Amino acid sequence: MRLHRLDLTAFGPFGATQSVDFGALSSAGLFLLHGPTGAGKTSVLDAVCYALYGAVPGARQNGQGMTLRSDHAAPGSRTEVRLDLTVAGRRLEITRQPPWERPKKRGAGTTVDKAQSTLREYDATAGTWRALSRSHQEIGEEITQLLGMSREQFCQVVLLPQGDFARFLRADAEARGKLLGRLFDTRRFAEVEKRLAERRRAGEARIREGDAGLLADAHRMQQAADGAMELPELAAGEPGLAEAVLAAAAVARTTVAERVTLARCRLTAAETDAADADREAAAVRELDRLQRRFAEAEERAARLAERAGEYEADQRRLERGRKAREVAPELDLRTRAEEEHRRAAAAETAARAPLPADLADAGADGLSAAARRTAEELGGLESARRAEARLTELAAERAELDRQERADEEALDEADAWLADWEETRAALRARVDAAQEAVTRAERLDAQREPARRRLTAARERDRLTAGADEARDRALGLAEDATRAREHWLDLKERRLRGAAAELAAHLADGAPCAVCGATEHPAPARRDTGHVGREAEEAALAAHQAAERLRDEAERHRGTLREALAAATAEAGDASVAHLAEEADALERAHARARAEASGLRPAQEALARAEAERERRTGARQSAAVRTATRIGTRDRIDREQEALESELAEARGTADSVATRAASLERRAALLTGAADAVRSAADAAARLKDADARLAHAAYRAGFTTPEEAAGALLDDAAHRETQHRLDAMRTEEAAVRAIRTDPATAAAALRPPADPAAAERAAADAGRRLREAASGHDAVVRSHTELRALSERAATAARLLAPLREEYDRAARLAALAAGTSADNDRRMRLESYVLAARLEQVAAAATARLRRMSAGRYTLVHSDDRSGRGRSGLGLHVVDAWTGRERDTATLSGGETFFASLALALGLADVVTDEAGGVRLDTLFIDEGFGSLDDQTLDEVLDVLDSLRERDRSVGIVSHVADLRRRVHARLEVVKGRSGSTLRLHGAG
């Protein structure tokens, strides 16, 4: 990091705008920031910190917000800090304005303006500044990523506060631990301690839970074993619980298995007894069945003997019915003839009833002649009937003319009414067309706005996605930077060790008489020997290759990060600062407006078609009006023709009707008379034919009855059986024959006859004996099933307990391992000799690095007298590993840093601050710090010591580094040529630059 320029306006003691050209000061390498007490020297450093982090150093954090504003500032001048710097190869400009209370533009009083921040980057190609962000949070994250340090680390590394390090030098282990923990961010190691403790507690809980489940299974096994198992007197979590439970379960399984064997024997005996009882009961039931069957056969034989007379009567009845069936066709014929004769006589009587008296007794021929005469008279009325039909047609034509006349009148009225509103209708339709056309134009305009809105929305989403990606790339770049730093430290360490062993490496090639490559001597009395820690060229080159590979990975990560930042900047330029939700809402609003416009525009064609249809309707109605007028003139002649024809037909019909109301009425009367006469003649003929057929049927029936052996036809009819009576009689005969055969089979069966000779059977007693044997069998089976279930359940529970014990074994091992690690990390383990926590161990390693880096400068400042070393000893009840002692080369003893004098304390603190700055810089990823500030403390040094300290500080200028000394010591103005003077005045302080080119 290199500072170029700082501009202050109304900040701290500076009322007017002041500028600091750090570029000119840095060219001298070492420069002095001096001025009287209270002039504002420290305020310049506060402004640098405020520009970078938006806050001043921790000791002065109460100077935030509007209190940063200078009391000497003009009312209308706003407080502002602008810093121009180069960091990580990028030229940036940061401008910050804290909130301030300004006078209102209108009226009296004041109002508060919010804080503002801007970040710009210089584009060397275009030669212009490009805006990056106006967000406080984004700017803070970007600067923190580039510097690789928090504000606290920056204030300890770049703005070296001597008073703080004097306290750090004399502080106890707890105070040192707090400061180092903030600088090196060892919270992750404290988190490791916490996580290990949590894993130990979780493992203990899982083991207790598993033991509780094992004990629960043991209680269930005890219940299943029914007293055959004794539980161990152990609680959950105690060692040996699983082994004790499994041993007790094995004993219980053996006992219950013996119970199963005994129960199986009892069940087998009960099954044999039950089978014997069932066989005996079955034999008794069979004997009882045969005896009852024989007795039933005897009873059925007696009943058959009683019904023998009925059997003979049914046989005779069937024989007479068979003979009567031969007469059945003639009986049916005579019945049908009698029925037809009865119907014909009734029809004749009904047909003669409506006839006139002179024809009531006429025969069939007389009735037919009368019907012919009536038909001839009906034929003479045919012409009159046609005239009457024509008259009806004329009346219909006249009615149709009247209907058409009314329709034309209505059409004319409707056309006149419609045409009267034509102009208003056409104007309304034309307005619809114009409105739809306007909607078409609006839809086209909105459609052109939709695509930019969608692009902005897509860019906003890409911006949010790239923001997350940039965070991940930043984290990866920081991680790779740490890896590169560790690889570099390893390489430098190997290189240093190899350099220390360079003499031994050269001595390995010496030979007697051969000149030395260094001094040229041919004698080598004491060549250097390689020690056990010697590093060869191959190891150094391998470490260098690993360092270079880590550097390449870090560079690739930085390039990827830069690519993401460029894409993020492009997306931000496209989308602006608007949120995705806001842009989505705008895009949705455009879509809805476009949809509404399209919906309205879709009515253009219907509106045009409606206008065309209205114009066509106007033409149609005008033509219809003219056609109706022509039809009205034509109807006048047609109506006169119809009237003349109606008069001629009505005179003709008056003569043909006679006394009837109409020709049709008279014709209907004649048609009815002719039908009655014709029907009566047919009925008379049918009655005569039916009488002849009945006489013939009587003769045929008498002859058939005689041949069948019956005296009269009536006797034959009485013997005839219908189908149902014949089937019933035949069924009774068949049933009696079947019953006789069944009884005969039973009485002749040997088994049944033999059973009838034996004593009566007692099935009830046999059933009782079988029931008792079955009850004993069920009791034995129930006892056997209970024991088998107990054995099965016990075996299943034992297997589950064994499985649970196997699963608990690795959990116990994991718990033991976690408990040992947690105790070791917490410093409570016996293996941790110094009772040092993990975080303290890491901080001790960092403090050892800091002491080594500080010693390199402290020895120069103290002319080789003092060396800083760290101590692992535990002081009192505090933490161990964070002790800090000074070794005095004059006495060869370690002593406490509190015994140093004021001047010694200063340069020891300065050396410690510089060493800590080096270590923290490497820890932050090797960020190059080209500008450092050292604040106060030089007044306690004598001239010689001051020269040595300045020589050390002057050595910091190597590799183009500049160091700024903040002090009011007058002698420093003579020793340091480049100076920035702070001049104190009543109207505020001002800045002056001296001796800087």
Side-chain angles (χ1 to χ4, degrees), residues 662-937:
S662 64
V663 175
T665 302
R666 187 178 178 193
S669 176
L670 292 174
E671 288 175 352
R672 286 194 299 274
R673 177 183 175 86
L676 288 174
L677 292 173
T678 302
D682 294 338
V684 171
R685 292 189 186 93
S686 297
D689 293 340
R693 285 193 296 273
L694 178 59
K695 183 178 179 181
D696 182 62
D698 285 338
R700 294 178 63 181
L701 177 61
H703 180 68
Y706 175 75
R707 282 188 307 165
F710 294 101
T711 307
T712 62
E714 288 76 11
E715 183 181 356
L720 183 66
L721 294 176
D722 58 11
D723 293 341
H726 182 274
R727 285 193 301 272
E728 182 181 358
T729 304
Q730 186 65 48
H731 178 69
R732 285 198 301 270
L733 290 173
D734 293 341
M736 290 181 70
R737 294 191 189 99
T738 303
E739 181 70 6
E740 287 177 351
V743 170
R744 187 167 51 252
I746 294 173
R747 295 172 72 178
T748 58
D749 182 40
T752 305
L757 298 176
R758 295 179 62 182
D762 188 1
E767 291 292 343
R768 286 194 296 272
D772 292 340
R775 177 180 54 77
R776 291 192 297 273
L777 175 61
R778 288 192 296 274
E779 290 176 355
S782 177
H784 176 266
D785 292 342
V787 174
V788 170
R789 282 196 302 273
S790 176
H791 184 261
T792 303
E793 183 178 1
L794 183 61
R795 186 169 61 249
L797 290 172
S798 299
E799 292 175 356
R800 189 167 75 177
T803 302
R806 285 196 302 273
L807 294 177
L808 279 174
L811 290 179
R812 290 185 187 279
E813 293 178 1
E814 182 181 357
Y815 165 71
D816 293 339
R817 184 166 56 254
R820 289 196 303 272
L821 288 175
L824 184 65
T828 60
S829 172
D831 297 334
N832 193 335
D833 296 336
R834 297 184 178 276
R835 297 293 189 267
M836 187 184 297
R837 289 173 45 214
L838 177 62
E839 184 182 12
S840 299
Y841 177 78
V842 175
L843 291 177
R846 296 302 189 194
L847 182 59
E848 185 176 5
Q849 293 176 333
V850 171
T855 296
R857 295 186 175 90
L858 178 59
R859 295 183 65 181
R860 291 185 59 185
M861 294 180 188
S862 63
R865 179 179 180 182
Y866 293 115
T867 301
L868 281 175
V869 294
H870 95 286
S871 173
D872 289 337
D873 295 336
R874 187 171 183 174
S875 58
R877 300 183 61 183
R879 70 173 80 186
S880 62
L882 297 179
L884 193 62
H885 294 164
V886 62
V887 177
D888 191 345
W890 291 2
T891 63
R893 296 181 180 180
E894 289 187 9
R895 57 178 171 142
D896 194 278
T897 54
T899 62
L900 295 174
S901 65
E904 292 171 340
T905 299
F906 167 72
F907 61 70
S909 300
L910 177 59
L912 185 64
L914 294 174
L916 184 63
D918 292 340
V919 175
V920 172
T921 299
D922 293 339
E923 175 70 15
V927 177
R928 179 175 175 82
L929 300 177
D930 297 314
T931 306
L932 296 177
F933 293 92
I934 300 175
D935 190 0
E936 286 299 344

Side-chain angles (χ1 to χ4, degrees), residues 949-986:
V949 169
L950 290 179
D951 289 342
V952 172
L953 294 179
D954 191 57
S955 68
L956 296 178
R957 294 187 299 171
E958 298 175 359
R959 298 183 183 178
D960 201 23
R961 174 183 287 184
S962 60
V963 180
I965 299 174
V966 183
S967 178
H968 59 274
V969 175
D971 192 37
L972 287 174
R973 301 176 206 168
R974 176 180 58 81
R975 298 171 181 261
V976 181
H977 300 288
R979 306 192 311 275
L980 178 64
E981 182 182 5
V982 184
V983 181
K984 183 168 60 175
R986 289 184 175 273

Side-chain angles (χ1 to χ4, degrees), residues 489-732:
E489 291 175 353
H490 179 62
W491 169 60
L492 292 176
D493 179 61
L494 293 182
K495 182 177 181 181
E496 183 178 357
R497 289 165 57 189
R498 182 168 179 267
L499 291 175
R500 287 199 301 267
E505 185 174 344
L506 291 174
H509 301 285
L510 293 178
D512 293 336
C516 175
V518 177
C519 63
T522 57
E523 296 180 358
H524 319 292
R529 297 288 185 268
R530 293 186 179 181
D531 56 17
T532 57
H534 177 70
V535 177
R537 178 185 299 274
E538 294 79 5
E540 179 189 356
E541 291 177 351
L544 176 60
H547 164 58
Q548 292 171 346
E551 290 289 342
R552 285 194 298 273
L553 290 176
R554 183 185 66 178
D555 295 341
E556 291 175 0
E558 288 294 340
R559 286 194 296 272
H560 175 62
R561 183 181 173 195
T563 302
L564 287 179
R565 282 200 300 266
E566 293 176 1
L568 177 60
T572 304
E574 177 69 24
D577 295 335
S579 64
V580 172
H582 177 69
L583 293 177
E585 183 178 357
E586 288 184 353
D588 290 343
L590 281 175
E591 291 291 344
R592 290 193 296 271
H594 179 259
R596 288 195 299 271
R598 288 194 60 184
E600 295 175 5
S602 64
L604 175 61
R605 184 175 182 82
Q608 292 173 342
E609 292 176 352
L611 179 59
R613 286 195 301 271
E615 291 176 348
E617 181 67 14
R618 174 176 174 275
E619 296 295 332
R620 186 187 66 78
R621 290 182 179 272
T622 302
R625 183 179 181 187
Q626 294 173 355
S627 299
V630 173
R631 287 194 300 272
T632 300
T634 304
R635 278 193 298 271
I636 296 174
T638 304
R639 187 180 293 111
D640 293 342
R641 178 183 56 77
I642 291 173
D643 292 342
R644 289 193 300 271
E645 189 174 357
Q646 281 181 334
E647 291 177 1
L649 291 174
E650 286 177 354
S651 61
E652 180 182 352
L653 289 176
E655 180 179 356
R657 282 195 300 267
T659 60
D661 295 336
S662 64
V663 175
T665 302
R666 187 178 178 193
S669 176
L670 292 174
E671 288 175 352
R672 286 194 299 274
R673 177 183 175 86
L676 288 174
L677 292 173
T678 302
D682 294 338
V684 171
R685 292 189 186 93
S686 297
D689 293 340
R693 285 193 296 273
L694 178 59
K695 183 178 179 181
D696 182 62
D698 285 338
R700 294 178 63 181
L701 177 61
H703 180 68
Y706 175 75
R707 282 188 307 165
F710 294 101
T711 307
T712 62
E714 288 76 11
E715 183 181 356
L720 183 66
L721 294 176
D722 58 11
D723 293 341
H726 182 274
R727 285 193 301 272
E728 182 181 358
T729 304
Q730 186 65 48
H731 178 69
R732 285 198 301 270

